[in-house]
Amino acid sequence: MLVKMTLEEFGDVLGSDAPAPGGGSVAALSGALGAELVAMVCRLSIGRKDLEAHAQEIKTGLLEADGLATGLMRRVDLDTEAFNSVMAAFKLPKTTDAEKQKRAEAIQTGYKDAVQSPLSIARECVSVLNLSKSLLGKTNPNALSDLGVAAQQAYAGLEGAIMNVKINLPSIKDEQFNSSTSGEVSQLLKYGREAKDDVYNFVSEKL
Amino acid sequence: MLVKMTLEEFGDVLGSDAPAPGGGSVAALSGALGAELVAMVCRLSIGRKDLEAHAQEIKTGLLEADGLATGLMRRVDLDTEAFNSVMAAFKLPKTTDAEKQKRAEAIQTGYKDAVQSPLSIARECVSVLNLSKSLLGKTNPNALSDLGVAAQQAYAGLEGAIMNVKINLPSIKDEQFNSSTSGEVSQLLKYGREAKDDVYNFVSEKL
């Protein structure tokens, strides 16, 4: 499992000539780091008298951040597995017509899975961005830059995940699937960018 | 050492209520992941007949990417150490005037170190961005999204590092230091953004 590797080991296998792990797993990790930073900022805010008015929201935010961090960290491995299933489908036998048909279907299923994975990463990165935005002005001011970094990481995860959706769409022959996926991608980018810009502007003004 | 932790362990300590590691170490890690992805893209490009014209540039790029990845991964730990030295300075005794003076100087030195660390991260992230940009159209097209993710990660690392520079500047009393640092920060952001946009536009058009 990738998440059981040390940072150094993960870096080495990432930089190697193995196609997986690649950008998808990195996008998931980036989102997870963002969520962990939001969790840290919440923990550094709990119990502060000056933030008492936001105590409940901080606690709820912490729960959500922890959940998103766990989910996105899991996707570091899931994304590489999804990619491996496409590779496995390509290696299926293709001698008889029945084999060719079965292989083609497995490839299509593989690609759809390979798209579903970064799509989920993108959705969860948007959740991290919205959560960061919702906490602006309600958390420990000493950790303001950490909230800013959290949003940058989640946004990089979002953009990276979407590139991994887009690179696979041309291989999928289901037009309806592609059209609804493209529509969701546009929405995710729109909302993610808005939240990232709001966090960036708030943090930049105060730094 | 943080880089000897597993991804999961690093995530846990990041999300904890310990102020370090924080955004600075995450920015370094983000840049390192970007550099590793550039290294992967170079490795997946070496030996391809259709890229023979760029073989030398790819090899040089790989060397640079590997170096930047190693350097940025090291900064994951260095950044947390720099922050710890500020914390240590605050804990120095402050009973006598001599002690107060020594403590104040140690705090100033600590903050300058704490700024130097993310400033180096920012410089190296810009190098990753420029390297990604220089490789556009010269690497394995199947790994195009990975080059795009690399730039996103390096850019998030750049923005995150700069937030960590800015949050510490108000604590530093050396105006000349602050002014030259702010000037460099603006330049790094300018060049980093340009390179990121160029990579993004190139990748987006082809995806």
Side-chain angles (χ1 to χ4, degrees):
Chain A
M1 277 178 80
L2 297 169
V3 298
K4 302 288 182 197
M5 289 181 181
T6 68
L7 301 188
E8 272 182 345
E9 287 165 354
F10 180 75
D12 286 344
V13 67
L14 182 65
S16 78
D17 63 0
S25 290
V26 168
L29 178 57
S30 188
L33 295 172
E36 294 287 11
L37 279 171
V38 175
M40 177 187 87
V41 171
C42 288
R43 287 197 169 88
L44 291 172
S45 306
I46 287 172
R48 277 178 69 110
K49 286 233 161 135
D50 57 337
L51 301 170
E52 236 166 37
H54 312 297
Q56 193 50 51
E57 206 169 340
I58 293 167
K59 276 182 197 166
T60 316
L62 174 56
L63 267 180
E64 191 184 346
D66 276 343
L68 286 165
T70 305
L72 280 159
M73 196 60 96
R74 200 170 293 144
R75 293 203 180 281
V76 173
D77 278 288
L78 290 178
D79 192 81
T80 289
E81 285 165 27
F83 183 82
N84 286 340
S85 90
V86 179
M87 296 290 103
F90 272 105
K91 286 178 189 155
L92 288 174
K94 48 175 178 175
T95 313
T96 68
D97 279 354
E99 280 175 353
K100 280 180 192 165
Q101 167 84 5
K102 207 178 156 186
R103 177 174 174 273
E105 282 167 11
I107 290 171
Q108 284 298 302
T109 307
Y111 273 121
K112 282 188 181 176
D113 284 355
V115 159
Q116 219 46 246
S117 167
L119 201 54
S120 301
I121 295 168
R123 286 184 198 121
E124 289 166 28
C125 284
V126 170
S127 297
V128 176
L129 285 160
N130 285 334
L131 178 58
S132 309
K133 180 184 164 178
S134 76
L135 291 169
L136 291 176
K138 300 170 189 168
T139 53
N140 190 329
N142 298 327
L144 183 63
S145 63
D146 296 299
L147 203 57
V149 176
Q152 292 295 330
Q153 289 302 317
Y155 185 71
L158 169 64
E159 287 277 15
I162 284 176
M163 287 178 187
N164 277 273
V165 170
K166 286 188 177 167
I167 202 168
N168 284 315
L169 283 189
S171 307
I172 297 173
K173 289 165 185 163
D174 181 341
E175 286 306 324
Q176 205 176 342
F177 176 92
N178 287 0
S179 152
S180 85
T181 303
S182 296
E184 186 178 351
V185 159
S186 303
Q187 288 297 96
L188 288 170
L189 258 185
K190 181 175 176 291
Y191 294 128
R193 260 183 207 151
E194 281 170 10
K196 184 261 296 174
D197 288 343
D198 286 347
V199 176
Y200 185 82
N201 292 334
F202 183 93
V203 173
S204 296
E205 267 174 33
K206 308 245 168 189
L207 283 184
Chain B
M1 275 177 81
L2 297 169
V3 298
K4 302 287 183 198
M5 288 181 182
T6 68
L7 300 189
E8 272 181 345
E9 287 165 353
F10 180 75
D12 285 345
V13 67
L14 182 64
S16 77
D17 64 359
S25 289
V26 169
L29 178 56
S30 189
L33 295 172
E36 294 286 10
L37 278 171
V38 175
M40 178 186 85
V41 171
C42 288
R43 287 197 169 89
L44 290 172
S45 306
I46 287 172
R48 277 178 69 109
K49 287 234 159 137
D50 57 337
L51 301 171
E52 235 166 37
H54 312 298
Q56 192 50 50
E57 206 168 341
I58 294 167
K59 277 184 196 165
T60 316
L62 174 57
L63 267 180
E64 191 183 347
D66 276 343
L68 286 165
T70 306
L72 280 159
M73 197 60 95
R74 199 170 293 142
R75 293 202 180 282
V76 174
D77 279 289
L78 290 178
D79 192 82
T80 289
E81 285 165 26
F83 183 82
N84 286 340
S85 90
V86 179
M87 297 290 103
F90 272 105
K91 285 179 189 154
L92 288 173
K94 48 175 177 174
T95 312
T96 67
D97 279 353
E99 279 175 354
K100 280 180 193 165
Q101 167 83 6
K102 206 177 158 188
R103 179 174 172 273
E105 283 167 11
I107 290 172
Q108 283 299 302
T109 307
Y111 272 121
K112 282 188 182 176
D113 284 355
V115 159
Q116 219 47 247
S117 167
L119 201 55
S120 300
I121 296 168
R123 286 182 199 122
E124 289 166 29
C125 284
V126 170
S127 297
V128 177
L129 284 160
N130 285 335
L131 178 58
S132 308
K133 180 183 165 177
S134 75
L135 291 169
L136 289 177
K138 300 170 189 168
T139 54
N140 190 329
N142 298 326
L144 183 63
S145 62
D146 296 299
L147 203 57
V149 176
Q152 292 294 331
Q153 289 301 318
Y155 185 72
L158 169 63
E159 286 277 15
I162 284 175
M163 287 178 188
N164 277 275
V165 170
K166 286 187 176 167
I167 202 169
N168 284 315
L169 283 188
S171 307
I172 297 173
K173 290 166 184 162
D174 180 342
E175 287 307 323
Q176 203 177 342
F177 176 91
N178 288 0
S179 153
S180 86
T181 304
S182 296
E184 185 177 354
V185 159
S186 302
Q187 288 298 95
L188 288 170
L189 258 186
K190 181 176 177 291
Y191 293 126
R193 262 187 204 148
E194 281 170 9
K196 185 262 295 175
D197 288 342
D198 286 348
V199 176
Y200 185 82
N201 292 335
F202 182 92
V203 173
S204 296
E205 268 174 35
K206 309 246 169 192
L207 283 184

